[in-house]
Amino acid sequence: MTLTWTAATGFTGWTVGGYSVGQSVTSGGPYTYASVGNALSSVRGGLSNGTTYYFVVLPEDAFGLRIATSSQVSA
């Protein structure tokens, strides 16, 4: 499964340096995060048919600090 998203735009002086994708089988988490670098998509492997997965995308600053959270989506 491939997740895609639009680029986050920085404000008040911060710049997006990359993204992490959070994945869970429970709505609202807890999420397991994987850094995907400065990409606007991520291929998620190892998923089981018939299981609902929940995802969030977190933009990170140049130091790798998570600075925001997207809305949750499911598939």
Side-chain angles (χ1 to χ4, degrees), residues 1-3 21-26 32 34 42-55 73-75:
M1 164 186 218
T2 301
L3 299 173
V21 174
Q23 177 178 320
S24 179
V25 294
T26 305
T32 300
S42 175
V43 176
R44 313 307 299 167
L47 305 179
S48 300
N49 287 334
T51 301
T52 301
Y53 293 90
Y54 301 90
F55 302 95
V73 297
S74 64

